[in-house]
Amino acid sequence: MTDIHSKRQLVIIGGAEEKDGDTPILREFVRRSGGTKAHIVIMTAATELPREVGENYIRVFERLGAEQVRIIDTETREDASSSTALEAISKATGVFFTGGDQARITSILKDTEIDAAIHKRYSEGIVIGGTSAGAAVMPDQMIVEGDSQTNARIEVVEMGPGLGFLPGVVIDQHFSQRGRLGRLISALVQEPVALGFGIDENTAMVVTDNQIEVIGEGAVTIVDESEATYNNLDQILKDEPLAIVGAKLHILPHGYKFDLKTRQPILEQQPAANVPVPVATTGS
């Protein structure tokens, strides 16, 4: 199959995306993967219910008109060299990682033939999507697990190798719903990267080369540590609170864009807020 894109594209979803009704996020994934000519492979390594979860996505993608949809279920690393799976990936226009446990994805797939094949196809222009655990694995260093609804401390997050489709960042999912700002900052301060992305549920950041667009009902929270003037990482024990000074925070809802190279939101095309102007009145 010929490649349909020249750009590298990712659809990174914060989890709990709409699967009935209009399904705007999954619709965008199918559209970018080739629309009615899309050949989509669903990677179910993250879940212990691969058939149930995979068939749910088959139902959505087929309803939206994808030409071909199939599941690749890899329960062990030996499965990750299956010739049938490798052939499916070679013909795919989109690869989608389901939710579950991100550690399962990397322990089963990382540095295998399937991993290499997906990266090769990604470099050739196919679209990579992932939700929840499938979003967490997108950076080269990922959040394996961590505490929610807590202040930033070294101990609240465990990091590990991701699949590296979007290197040099940290990504967290179910973000607002589970109060994960503390653990995102904890991860960000510990990693030698400057950008952290927290993606809300039913929300996605769509990456095209070096530009991100937010779609969905929530927002993407961006923590930029590149100009931070201070943190106390080298002074504290692992259960003591982290301090960070001078970091930037951006919260971008649907339609807003962000430039990964300049580390700046793209605002010039946003409509002005419709703020009513008070009318002066004279007393009687």
Side-chain angles (χ1 to χ4, degrees):
M1 176 170 292
T2 57
D3 297 317
I4 57 172
H5 297 298
S6 59
K7 297 181 177 181
R8 297 190 179 198
Q9 298 186 87
L10 300 167
V11 180
I12 309 175
I13 309 168
E17 72 282 359
E18 181 183 317
K19 299 181 185 67
D20 297 298
D22 194 47
T23 60
I25 294 171
L26 297 179
R27 180 180 298 271
E28 187 67 16
F29 173 75
V30 173
R31 190 191 315 280
R32 288 172 177 263
S33 297
T36 56
K37 296 181 180 179
H39 285 205
I40 295 174
V41 168
I42 302 167
M43 305 297 300
T44 57
T47 178
E48 296 181 352
L49 300 169
R51 182 56 52 183
E52 179 181 328
V53 171
E55 287 180 352
N56 201 13
Y57 283 104
I58 287 178
R59 174 182 62 82
V60 178
F61 294 149
E62 288 185 343
R63 175 172 65 83
L64 293 172
E67 184 175 299
Q68 185 179 92
V69 188
R70 61 171 302 169
I71 298 169
I72 291 181
D73 177 27
T74 48
E75 294 185 2
T76 67
R77 287 185 67 84
E78 287 70 31
D79 296 332
S81 58
S82 158
S83 59
T84 304
L86 291 169
E87 182 182 2
I89 290 167
S90 73
K91 296 177 179 178
T93 60
V95 173
F96 188 86
F97 290 86
T98 72
D101 179 356
Q102 53 262 41
R104 282 177 56 89
I105 300 176
T106 53
S107 65
I108 293 171
L109 294 182
K110 189 168 177 62
D111 298 325
T112 64
E113 289 184 69
I114 281 182
D115 185 20
I118 295 173
H119 274 83
K120 178 176 183 293
R121 294 293 290 134
Y122 176 54
S123 71
E124 294 168 353
I126 73 166
V127 181
I128 308 295
T131 183
S132 191
V137 298
M138 293 293 177
D140 45 358
Q141 288 294 312
M142 71 174 185
I143 296 175
V144 177
E145 61 181 357
D147 297 337
S148 299
Q149 297 180 330
T150 183
N151 65 307
R153 304 185 309 281
I154 298 172
E155 67 177 353
V156 303
V157 65
E158 177 188 342
M159 303 298 293
L163 294 183
F165 295 108
L166 187 63
V169 305
V170 173
I171 291 174
D172 209 348
Q173 66 280 355
H174 304 283
F175 194 69
S176 294
Q177 290 77 13
R178 300 187 186 177
R180 288 181 164 174
L181 181 60
R183 86 172 195 173
L184 179 62
I185 292 173
S186 300
L188 189 60
V189 171
Q190 293 176 64
E191 287 300 315
V193 299
L195 283 174
F197 295 91
I199 312 173
D200 291 350
E201 293 180 355
N202 200 25
T203 307
M205 46 185 265
V206 180
V207 186
T208 305
D209 288 338
N210 291 302
Q211 184 171 290
I212 291 169
E213 181 175 1
V214 179
I215 62 174
E217 70 175 13
V220 173
T221 299
I222 304 170
V223 181
D224 180 356
E225 203 211 357
S226 62
E227 297 179 16
T229 55
Y230 171 84
N231 72 63
N232 65 344
L233 184 63
D234 61 352
Q235 303 167 26
I236 58 172
L237 302 179
K238 83 183 234 186
D239 62 347
E240 295 175 344
L242 275 164
I244 181 170
V245 177
K248 291 181 181 177
L249 178 72
H250 308 291
I251 299 175
L252 304 182
H254 178 86
Y256 280 77
K257 297 179 180 179
F258 185 85
D259 190 310
L260 283 167
K261 280 191 171 180
T262 65
R263 301 179 186 273
Q264 294 296 325
I266 301 169
L267 302 176
E268 63 269 17
Q269 296 179 348
Q270 296 303 323
N274 185 19
V275 179
V277 178
V279 179
T281 59
T282 56
S284 55

